[in-house]
């Protein structure tokens, strides 16, 4: 593609043809062209016949080549939207998934009425980019949301996202699971922990190949971290506070059992937008 007068429409058409291995070539190529042109998506719709400068064209060709090699679009443009919040992403942690928004919806529905929500706040374990914590902080501006992640790079990234979004009620701490919040009690605990079995073939496919295994894989068929959180959270939840965790599509029953065995009540599994079991929740009522 060397024609200096290539139009936007022609560039989109050419780009799509290069991305035969992507699940979403049309969307990918739009995001990459917007990034190369430093313009919003509406610009592409408004000016399909506008010619692209040779220099921007060269940038675009390079971005498409990276995507064709499998690199996730979110890593190429260093950004992904979650709960309508633009978040910076990098290879230190997971790229936020749309299905995780179901966890945010459940949290808002179940915990908004907790009488101690403002005083005690919310804990997000394994906060990664900060997606869940920041979504909740944006919806509950008067509630303190604490995110914890074991990776210093992820904590730094989440803190940057929090600063960019001016969500001063969200804070991020480095440490293993509950260690940084020892002795505290919360009105809600949420987590999207690693839950994939090390032998799962999905780990060798698509965008997941570019994400850190530490954020994806857990022992005991993916249940080890879910079990640890379910057991330990009882020490950190106020009465009538919810624990809400994301998990794999085949782990619903196992996670319900974990919660029930640990004494939670009103245990329930909620499906994601694809109709798969994805979120299980329980209320701590000692
Ligand atoms: N939902 C992600 C996936 O299937 C995994 C997220 C996680 O392990 N927490 O790729």
């Amino acid at each position: 593609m060397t024609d200096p007068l290539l139009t936007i429409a022609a560039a989109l058409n050419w780009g799509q043809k290069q991305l035969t291995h992507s699940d979403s070539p049309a969307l990918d190529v739009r995001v990459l062209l917007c990034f190369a042109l430093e313009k919003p998506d509406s610009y592409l719709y408004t000016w399909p016949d506008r010619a692209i400068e040779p220099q921007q064209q060269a940038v675009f060709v390079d971005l498409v080549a990276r995507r064709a090699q499998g690199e996730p679009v979110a890593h190429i443009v260093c950004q992904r939207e979650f709960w309508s919040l633009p978040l910076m992403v990098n290879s230190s942690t997971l790229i936020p998934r749309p299905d995780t928004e179901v966890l945010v919806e459940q949290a808002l529905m179940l915990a908004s009425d907790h009488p101690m929500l403002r005083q005690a706040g919310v804990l997000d374990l394994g906060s990664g980019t900060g997606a869940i914590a920041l979504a909740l902080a944006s919806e509950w501006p008067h509630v303190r949301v604490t995110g914890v992640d074991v990776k210093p790079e992820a904590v730094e990234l989440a803190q940057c996202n929090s600063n960019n979004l001016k969500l001063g009620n969200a804070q991020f701490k480095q440490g293993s699971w509950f260690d940084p919040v020892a002795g505290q009690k919360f009105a809600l605990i949420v987590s999207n922990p690693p839950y994939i079995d090390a032998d799962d073939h999905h780990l060798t496919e698509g965008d997941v190949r570019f994400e850190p295994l530490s954020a994806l894989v857990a022992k005991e068929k993916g249940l080890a971290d879910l079990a640890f959180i379910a057991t330990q959270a009882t020490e950190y939840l106020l009465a009538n506070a919810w624990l809400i965790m994301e998990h794999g599509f085949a782990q619903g029953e196992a996670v319900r059992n974990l919660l029930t065995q640990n004494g939670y009540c009103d245990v329930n599994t909620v499906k994601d937008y694809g109709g798969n079991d994805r979120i299980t929740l329980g209320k701590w009522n000692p």
Side-chain angles (χ1 to χ4, degrees), residues 164-236:
N164 289 344
L165 295 165
K166 302 195 169 37
L167 291 169
N169 55 324
Q171 55 167 4
F172 295 91
K173 297 184 174 185
Q174 190 273 325
S176 176
W177 302 124
F178 296 93
D179 289 354
V181 295
Q184 293 182 47
K185 298 251 189 212
F186 297 89
L188 169 69
I189 299 180
V190 292
S191 183
N192 176 16
Y195 54 69
I196 300 178
D197 181 73
D199 292 333
D200 192 315
H201 66 91
H202 289 108
L203 295 169
T204 58
E205 297 165 9
D207 287 6
V208 179
R209 291 171 297 162
F210 293 80
E211 295 177 300
L213 286 177
S214 59
L216 293 163
V217 170
K219 294 188 177 135
E220 293 164 37
K221 295 191 165 55
L223 289 168
D225 294 320
L226 291 157
F228 179 83
I229 293 167
T231 313
Q232 299 294 309
T234 58
E235 295 290 317
Y236 297 87

Side-chain angles (χ1 to χ4, degrees), residues 16-264:
Q16 265 197 66
K17 289 196 188 119
Q18 314 305 309
L19 301 182
T20 45
H21 295 296
S22 168
D23 291 340
S24 51
L27 175 65
D28 293 0
V29 86
R30 294 192 80 82
V31 174
L32 296 177
L33 188 55
C34 287
F35 187 70
L37 299 178
E38 298 177 52
K39 298 284 188 208
D41 196 46
S42 55
Y43 183 89
L44 307 186
Y45 284 106
T46 315
W47 306 109
D49 297 328
R50 189 165 281 189
I52 302 174
E53 297 295 327
Q55 205 183 337
Q56 289 174 322
Q57 194 169 297
V59 170
F60 174 64
V61 169
D62 180 53
L63 300 178
V64 171
R66 285 170 62 188
R67 179 61 186 142
Q69 294 295 316
E71 198 173 338
V73 173
H75 283 176
I76 298 173
V77 305
C78 303
Q79 194 187 306
R80 173 58 40 101
E81 205 162 280
F82 181 83
W83 203 257
S84 300
L85 304 172
L87 300 176
M88 284 179 356
V89 300
N90 62 35
S91 56
S92 73
T93 187
L94 282 196
I95 300 165
R97 312 282 203 265
D99 284 326
T100 303
E101 294 188 356
V102 175
L103 190 157
V104 175
E105 286 168 3
Q106 291 299 317
L108 294 171
M109 233 158 26
L110 295 171
S112 290
D113 291 339
H114 195 284
M116 293 291 283
L117 185 62
R118 281 196 186 200
Q119 293 98 310
V122 175
L123 175 63
D124 174 17
L125 293 167
S127 46
T129 57
I132 299 170
L134 294 169
L136 294 175
S138 74
E139 295 289 335
W140 289 325
H142 303 293
V143 174
R144 170 168 286 239
V145 184
T146 303
V148 171
D149 204 289
V150 74
K151 269 203 170 181
E153 303 92 324
V155 173
E156 197 181 321
L157 178 67
Q159 197 58 61
C160 274
N161 280 325
S162 172
N163 296 346
N164 289 344
L165 295 165
K166 302 195 169 37
L167 291 169
N169 55 324
Q171 55 167 4
F172 295 91
K173 297 184 174 185
Q174 190 273 325
S176 176
W177 302 124
F178 296 93
D179 289 354
V181 295
Q184 293 182 47
K185 298 251 189 212
F186 297 89
L188 169 69
I189 299 180
V190 292
S191 183
N192 176 16
Y195 54 69
I196 300 178
D197 181 73
D199 292 333
D200 192 315
H201 66 91
H202 289 108
L203 295 169
T204 58
E205 297 165 9
D207 287 6
V208 179
R209 291 171 297 162
F210 293 80
E211 295 177 300
L213 286 177
S214 59
L216 293 163
V217 170
K219 294 188 177 135
E220 293 164 37
K221 295 191 165 55
L223 289 168
D225 294 320
L226 291 157
F228 179 83
I229 293 167
T231 313
Q232 299 294 309
T234 58
E235 295 290 317
Y236 297 87
L237 287 164
L238 291 165
N240 295 315
W242 290 89
L243 170 65
I244 310 179
M245 297 190 291
E246 180 172 326
H247 53 73
F249 68 91
Q251 293 171 327
E253 190 182 355
V255 179
R256 285 195 300 279
N257 288 339
L258 279 172
L259 292 182
T260 308
Q261 284 156 12
N262 280 286
Y264 295 81

